[in-house]
Amino acid sequence: MRGRRIPIALPNTGALSRRRHTLYIRSAIIIFILFAFLQFHVINYDSSDSGPADTTNYSTAAILHMVPPVFHKYLTSKTRNATHGQNGTHVGPNEGSQRSANISEILRMIHRYNELQSVLNEDIFGPLQNDSVIIVVQVHKRITYLRHLIVSLAQAKDISRTLLVFSHDHFDDDINDLVQSIDFCKVMQIFYPFSIQTHPSEFPGADPGDCPRDIKKEQALLRKCNNALHPDLYGHYREAKFTQTKHHWWWKANRVFDQLEVTKYHTGLVVFLEEDHYVAEDFLYILELMQQKSNELCQKCNILSLGTYLKTFNYYTYNKKVEVTPWVSSKHNMGMA
């Protein structure tokens, strides 16, 4: 026969009270965390009411703090005088800064710039010497990148001995103001005359009769669109915004090597940069060392490449070495001379 169970009180060891105490502490901690979380979001909400301007101002201030004050002028925009350009370059009343210039006016101004071939600051730094370096910068319309490139160039050693040639495929008053404000070396501007800006609806811009990029060749032939017989190696047809970059590059190279009076007889180095590049302070010195080494190690080498597209690089091991290698356009076109 199974006996009846009789509950017996256990001695009070304090375990129950300790569990209750622990529960109270955990609850208090959770409430505190929730309170802190809400306070944090309230503070963020209040600060966000001031809008993105505060963040922008903070970022601008931080950037300016890292740049010597003498170069701050290249990072901030200025109001341009309607009748006088920078560096004493006179601009007539009908040739000044026109924010709403039409295509014919832009073409006229481009033609005038290219015809004059003016070298700014030549009276300060003297004529170009054959042992000097010509730096050619291809510019589209990313002025923020261009500002920082100019700041980096301004801090480069021996930059005053160079000639900076800015080659533009977009006529923009603000960019012109920025370039013409440079006072640390000789400066020249050239303008690609066959840009999309001046040819928006015809070759080399986007012609209405162009074949769509991804159309099949058979369909292109039936449609009889422009260049139907000649898609590229991947079966795609021309896109003006991409081909302009290549057209501009070759026009710029021919313009510098064969046409400009100040550069066509130059026997020194010519470095090609782009508006979104950034140079080190010793890039001209390193370029000179590379040229010396190429004469010793590889007399057949005719291109020097300063930059690399590698995301990681062991500079500790290779900081005093140069590499002799076959040139590959997709790898060695950054800062090449």
Side-chain angles (χ1 to χ4, degrees):
M1 180 177 178
R2 182 177 297 178
R4 188 174 59 177
R5 294 182 179 179
I6 301 174
I8 300 175
L10 295 174
N12 185 7
T13 60
L16 181 60
S17 63
R18 283 198 298 271
R19 284 198 296 269
R20 288 178 179 174
H21 183 68
T22 303
L23 179 62
Y24 293 151
I25 292 176
R26 288 179 179 175
S27 300
I29 291 174
I30 292 172
I31 292 172
F32 176 79
I33 292 173
L34 288 173
F35 176 79
F37 180 79
L38 291 173
Q39 285 292 102
F40 176 79
H41 277 269
V42 168
I43 292 171
N44 277 356
Y45 178 79
D46 290 340
S47 63
S48 66
D49 286 344
S50 59
D54 287 347
T55 303
T56 302
N57 291 337
Y58 175 79
S59 300
T60 302
I63 292 172
L64 291 176
H65 182 71
M66 294 185 290
V67 175
V70 68
F71 303 131
H72 286 184
K73 59 185 177 182
Y74 301 126
L75 297 175
T76 55
S77 59
K78 294 182 180 180
T79 302
R80 185 179 184 181
N81 189 308
T83 58
H84 289 82
Q86 300 290 339
N87 295 298
T89 304
H90 179 74
V91 182
N94 296 322
E95 299 165 357
S97 173
Q98 300 183 28
R99 305 292 168 179
S100 59
N102 59 34
I103 291 176
S104 61
E105 290 172 333
I106 291 174
L107 283 170
R108 181 175 58 83
M109 289 186 282
I110 285 175
H111 176 74
R112 179 164 175 76
Y113 270 99
N114 287 342
E115 183 181 39
L116 288 175
Q117 300 187 24
S118 299
V119 179
L120 305 179
N121 303 324
E122 189 175 30
D123 56 329
I124 300 173
F125 299 103
L128 181 68
Q129 304 297 318
N130 268 331
D131 61 346
S132 299
V133 176
I134 297 174
I135 303 170
V136 185
V137 182
Q138 183 159 326
V139 183
H140 185 45
K141 53 183 178 181
R142 296 179 293 180
I143 190 171
T144 300
Y145 289 113
L146 182 60
R147 290 184 186 280
H148 290 281
L149 170 61
I150 290 173
V151 168
S152 71
L153 288 167
Q155 299 177 83
K157 182 182 178 182
D158 293 329
I159 192 66
S160 62
R161 299 179 61 241
T162 67
L163 169 64
L164 265 179
V165 180
F166 291 88
S167 183
H168 306 265
D169 59 30
H170 188 87
F171 193 91
D172 181 87
D173 291 312
D174 292 330
I175 291 178
N176 292 340
D177 291 345
L178 173 62
V179 170
Q180 292 169 15
S181 71
I182 293 174
D183 58 7
F184 52 81
C185 68
K186 296 181 287 294
V187 176
M188 188 176 195
Q189 287 180 279
I190 58 177
F191 290 85
Y192 176 54
F194 309 109
S195 67
I196 295 175
Q197 183 188 29
T198 55
H199 299 76
S201 303
E202 60 180 333
F203 181 85
D207 191 293
D210 285 346
C211 296
R213 175 186 182 273
D214 296 320
I215 193 174
K216 299 297 182 182
K217 184 176 180 180
E218 295 76 13
Q219 295 174 312
L221 292 171
L222 291 174
R223 185 182 291 194
K224 297 182 180 180
C225 50
N226 295 338
N227 213 33
L229 288 170
H230 305 289
D232 65 17
L233 294 175
Y234 305 99
H236 299 143
Y237 287 94
R238 185 185 76 94
E239 290 182 277
K241 62 182 179 181
F242 296 119
T243 55
Q244 173 178 264
T245 302
K246 296 182 179 181
H247 291 167
H248 180 189
W249 198 97
W250 282 110
W251 176 88
K252 167 192 68 183
N254 282 282
R255 183 74 173 161
V256 170
F257 288 130
D258 299 329
Q259 298 174 5
L260 296 178
E261 292 297 326
V262 70
T263 61
K264 65 181 181 180
Y265 300 113
H266 185 68
T267 58
L269 291 175
V270 178
V271 181
F272 291 96
L273 299 176
E274 297 180 19
E275 64 186 355
D276 60 345
H277 289 174
Y278 194 93
V279 299
E281 291 185 24
D282 62 349
F283 87 100
L284 291 171
Y285 172 69
I286 295 298
L287 186 64
E288 182 181 356
L289 291 181
M290 290 175 67
Q291 185 180 28
Q292 293 174 2
K293 283 297 180 182
S294 68
N295 293 333
E296 298 173 10
L297 303 175
C298 181
Q299 294 186 0
K300 293 183 179 180
C301 292
N302 51 22
I303 292 180
L304 305 175
S305 181
L306 287 167
T308 177
Y309 289 97
L310 295 176
K311 294 183 179 180
T312 58
F313 188 79
N314 191 343
Y315 288 100
Y316 181 80
T317 302
Y318 300 105
N319 66 87
K320 295 182 180 180
K321 295 182 179 181
V322 292
E323 179 185 17
V324 178
T325 183
W327 185 76
V328 179
S329 62
S330 60
K331 294 181 179 180
H332 307 127
N333 64 357
M334 184 185 292
M336 65 179 184

